[in-house]
Amino acid sequence: AAGGAAAGAPAEEKTTFTLVLTDAGANKLNVIKTVREVKPELGLMDAKKLVETAGSEVLTDVKQDVAEEAKKKLEAAGAKVTLK
């Protein structure tokens, strides 16, 4: 009976997200600039390494609105990203 009650409960809503860069696309320079805009603490070389490494986490444990805004900016620059 306890298992049935737990299954009927609504799923907990996710409050933090991780933004993962899956593909930099054809225009890496714009993506590097955008990564530095989204994550200003990165230097040029660190941003370049992040962009060149597929599956890199750009932002970790950020609020949904921050993650979605960064996703829009990166996609506009030509990158492919996913939210986890």
Side-chain angles (χ1 to χ4, degrees), residues 14 16-22 34-35 38-39 50 55-64 66-75 79-84:
K14 192 170 183 170
T16 59
F17 295 85
T18 299
L19 186 68
V20 179
L21 181 70
T22 56
T34 306
V35 165
V38 169
K39 196 167 182 174
L50 188 140
S56 297
E57 292 182 354
V58 179
L59 298 173
T60 307
D61 295 332
V62 295
K63 293 185 179 190
Q64 183 175 4
V66 174
E68 287 179 355
E69 182 66 28
K71 181 180 179 188
K72 286 179 189 174
K73 288 179 181 180
L74 286 164
E75 286 176 341
K80 293 183 182 172
V81 293
T82 57
L83 287 177
K84 292 185 178 183

Side-chain angles (χ1 to χ4, degrees), residues 21-31 51 74-75 77-81:
L21 181 70
T22 56
D23 183 21
N27 198 345
K28 285 186 182 179
L29 184 59
N30 277 346
V31 176
V51 168
L74 286 164
E75 286 176 341
K80 293 183 182 172
V81 293

